[in-house]
Amino acid sequence: MAAFVAMPLLAREGAATSSLPVDVTPLADLKRRRLVVYDNLKDLEFEYQAGKLAAQDYQSLKQNYLGEAATLMAASQEAEQLKEIDALLEREIAGRRASRKNRLPQDYICPKCGFENPVPVKFCGECGAKITLLSH
Ligand SMILES: [Zn+2]
């Protein structure tokens, strides 16, 4: 995660984005910076087509931007995965809280492996064995 924090702040060059409210989540920030890189690439292409850039400069700048885009892409995929794991853990924790509050947990203990299923289930979440509920 440290890689993209240390990256040169090319995003700051985008004049259009500076007046917009900044979304502070890492994922939104990465996405915003990626869009800026794409904008820069488009500008670069335009300037090259207009004859304002030497082919050599164009190529080296383009490689820079593409490298930047690839790094940002990889970083946001990583952030996306972390977000999914967070969401998964939150659901798991919420499920456990709900089961503690409203259910008798022993209703969902697997007879085969002893796993305490956090939510009402017909089959064990750990080993797949059928759970026979105790009568209420
Ligand atoms: Zn089980």
Side-chain angles (χ1 to χ4, degrees):
M1 291 302 283
F4 71 84
V5 175
M7 300 233 337
L9 294 172
L10 281 175
R12 298 283 177 263
E13 289 170 14
T17 56
S18 60
S19 61
L20 295 171
V22 177
D23 191 333
V24 291
T25 66
L27 205 55
D29 190 53
L30 286 167
K31 191 178 171 188
R32 184 178 57 80
R33 287 168 60 186
R34 218 162 72 218
L35 290 175
V36 171
V37 172
Y38 292 151
D39 267 356
N40 287 341
L41 267 170
K42 264 190 293 183
D43 285 352
L44 185 70
E45 201 74 39
F46 183 78
E47 286 188 19
Y48 177 61
Q49 297 299 333
K52 291 179 183 174
L53 271 177
Q56 204 183 352
D57 292 342
Y58 165 72
Q59 286 301 339
S60 79
L61 281 168
K62 190 176 176 179
Q63 288 313 309
N64 275 348
Y65 286 140
L66 289 177
E68 175 101 355
T71 307
L72 289 171
M73 184 89 79
S76 53
Q77 274 164 0
E78 194 181 334
E80 190 81 58
Q81 280 166 1
L82 287 173
K83 209 174 77 173
E84 277 171 29
I85 291 166
D86 278 353
L88 209 75
L89 287 175
E90 269 168 34
R91 277 203 299 276
E92 175 89 357
I93 290 162
R96 276 166 197 270
R97 280 208 195 104
S99 77
R100 293 257 159 78
K101 217 187 283 176
N102 305 322
R103 309 281 177 182
L104 297 168
Q106 61 265 32
D107 281 3
Y108 311 110
I109 293 177
C110 176
K112 197 175 165 192
C113 74
F115 179 70
E116 282 184 47
N117 291 280
V119 291
V121 289
K122 282 183 178 168
F123 299 95
C124 176
E126 189 69 15
C127 74
K130 194 174 195 304
I131 308 283
T132 314
L133 295 186
L134 304 172
S135 54
H136 285 268

